[in-house]
Amino acid sequence: MGVLLTYLLFTNDWRFWITVELIGALAFSGSLLVAYATTTRHLPFRTYIETWLPMPPIQLAIFLVLDGAGLAFAENGSSLTGIVLIAAGYGTFSAQSILKVVRKLTR
């Protein structure tokens, strides 16, 4: 959803309103998922997600900006720039997990 919010800064016209609608749908379904996750039920893969996916806020912000800007560039006709920015965003997203694996292997 953060990527879509960043995308709103770079887009206009009908794409803006479709993005707003998509953000609303994601916010609603995400809030239901959070409500479900706070129950005492067993969630599949919860241990793996809590171990490998937590991200510092700055890392998440960098991911959101790179990915949103990459989508905007790709949408406006600069596909190569968009692809590079999106790939950099996802590289930032997985950096924490990669560092954990490297630290584990070097111990």
Side-chain angles (χ1 to χ4, degrees):
M1 188 160 67
V3 170
L4 294 175
L5 289 172
T6 305
Y7 180 70
L8 284 178
L9 299 174
F10 298 99
T11 192
N12 54 19
D13 298 330
W14 62 271
R15 292 180 188 105
F16 178 85
W17 294 110
I18 288 177
T19 307
V20 168
E21 182 181 354
L22 185 58
I23 288 171
L26 287 174
F28 177 72
S29 63
S31 61
L32 289 179
L33 183 61
V34 167
Y36 175 77
T38 57
T39 64
T40 58
R41 297 179 183 168
H42 173 70
L43 298 175
F45 305 114
R46 184 177 187 157
T47 306
Y48 295 117
I49 291 170
E50 289 174 348
T51 303
W52 294 102
L53 291 181
M55 299 174 70
I58 186 71
Q59 185 180 0
L60 181 60
I62 291 169
F63 165 72
L64 295 176
V65 168
L66 287 174
D67 209 43
L71 287 173
F73 272 102
E75 187 68 31
N76 290 326
S78 181
S79 297
L80 185 59
T81 305
I83 290 169
V84 168
L85 288 171
I86 290 170
Y90 278 104
T92 303
F93 183 70
S94 62
Q96 188 74 14
S97 297
I98 293 169
L99 288 174
K100 283 185 178 185
V101 169
V102 169
R103 286 183 191 141
K104 199 170 196 178
L105 291 174
T106 56
R107 287 185 191 177

